[in-house]
Amino acid sequence: MKLDVKILDERMRDQLPTYATTGSAGLDLRACLDEPHTLAPGASLLVPTGISIYVQDPRYAAMILPRSGLGHKNGIVLGNLVGLIDADYQGPLMVSVWNRSQEAFVLNPMERIAQLVVVPVMQVTFNVVDTFTETERGAGGFGSTGSH
Ligand SMILES: O=c1ccn([C@H]2C[C@H](O)[C@@H](COP(=O)(O)OP(=O)(O)OP(=O)(O)O)O2)c(=O)[nH]1
Ligand SMILES: [Mg+2]
């Protein structure tokens, strides 16, 4: 599927996000910073990715997810945990970078900081009912099936 993209930072023109391997689900997003930024423990920063995307079709959305290496090894995740990009959003694509670790982290310009995944979405309307058709689970949740 072709996704409309606008280049907001010229450095992105020759390095648009790509799938690292044929089976990759995510497109790595870069930190379009002008200089290195030190993120103190617990601090977060809204980082521009240098592009905007327009998904357009409401049957899809894009999600911004952490990169597992940065998240696990360095505690660099997202301030909003997951970023959801609406199909009708046309503004700059931003990443809330959160240092959840206890050490400072230096974010370098053009470093790959998160990943974008395009996903199918189903928009629903509500059908108001008094009872649901019975299921085996019913209202059980939050560990109701045990842990073994
Ligand atoms: O990590 C993110 C999350 C969101 N957005 C943009 C795209 C998204 O479509 C828009 C709104 O996001 P969301 O609906 O999650 O935020 P909100 O706080 O509900 O804002 P709004 O009232 O504008 O919907 O912000 C980003 O650029 N990066
Ligand atoms: Mg919203």
Side-chain angles (χ1 to χ4, degrees):
M1 161 181 175
K2 288 273 186 193
L3 197 63
D4 282 353
V5 62
K6 267 192 202 167
I7 291 158
L8 306 178
D9 183 313
E10 277 307 316
R11 292 174 293 182
M12 288 306 295
R13 194 172 290 280
D14 55 359
Q15 49 184 344
L16 281 176
T18 52
Y19 295 105
T21 64
T22 49
S24 293
L27 296 153
D28 285 342
L29 299 171
R30 295 179 186 275
C32 283
L33 298 168
D34 292 331
E35 52 201 38
H37 183 97
T38 301
L39 267 179
S44 57
L45 179 72
L46 201 54
V47 176
T49 63
I51 56 171
S52 52
I53 59 168
Y54 177 33
V55 174
Q56 190 167 3
D57 186 336
R59 291 171 304 174
Y60 299 92
M63 296 175 90
I64 299 177
L65 302 176
R67 293 185 69 204
S68 60
L70 274 180
H72 181 69
K73 294 182 202 150
N74 306 100
I76 298 300
V77 293
L78 305 176
N80 48 353
L81 304 187
V82 172
L84 180 60
I85 313 304
D86 299 287
D88 55 358
Y89 180 71
Q90 298 180 322
L93 196 60
M94 306 293 287
V95 178
S96 171
V97 180
W98 174 34
N99 180 4
R100 65 162 178 83
S101 81
Q102 266 136 47
E103 274 139 58
F105 182 84
V106 179
L107 203 57
N108 286 305
M110 306 317 279
E111 187 172 350
R112 289 177 294 149
I113 43 161
Q115 52 188 327
L116 185 81
V117 181
V118 177
V119 292
V121 166
M122 181 152 311
Q123 284 186 337
V124 299
T125 55
F126 288 111
N127 177 40
V128 179
V129 298
D130 292 324
T131 52
F132 293 133
T133 306
E134 200 176 307
T135 64
E136 184 184 345
R137 172 179 291 276
F142 302 93
S144 70
T145 64
S147 58
H148 289 290

